Amino acid sequence: QVQLVESGGRLVQAGGSLKLSCAVSGRTFDSYFIGWFRQAPGKEREFVASIAWSDGTTVYGNSAKGRCAVSRDNAKNTVYLQMSALKPEDTAVYYCTARPGNTSKYPYWGQGTQVTVSS
């Protein structure tokens, strides 16, 4: 069974940086994409970034471009989301997700980690 466990969320000041981690387990992920989404209170869930487990190809959402970098460590079965120049509007619960390469939907989700950016 696929398991995704996020960590690294915390309170950070505006302009600061933060690195989130997602430990993945439960199967081989060679054909999978690992994604990051976020959801702020009262707002819809928003795509942040994704990475192909096999070759590291990345895709970024509009809010993440230029300020976020997604990476993976296959040996550690971990995906990272490095965020910089954080703004109060980045405050949200950040979720790690996974999907097979033959679908556009993400069926597997972690429990989320809270990121709070203070002004």
Side-chain angles (χ1 to χ4, degrees), residues 74-95:
N74 293 45
K76 295 183 178 179
N77 274 8
T78 301
V79 173
Y80 304 98
L81 181 68
Q82 176 72 52
M83 303 184 290
S84 60
L86 286 164
K87 307 173 184 178
E89 49 264 44
D90 293 318
T91 295
V93 177
Y94 285 72
Y95 296 92

Side-chain angles (χ1 to χ4, degrees), residues 97-112:
T97 68
R99 66 172 176 88
N102 60 354
T103 178
S104 61
K105 296 187 180 298
Y106 286 86
Y108 305 106
W109 292 76
Q111 82 287 353

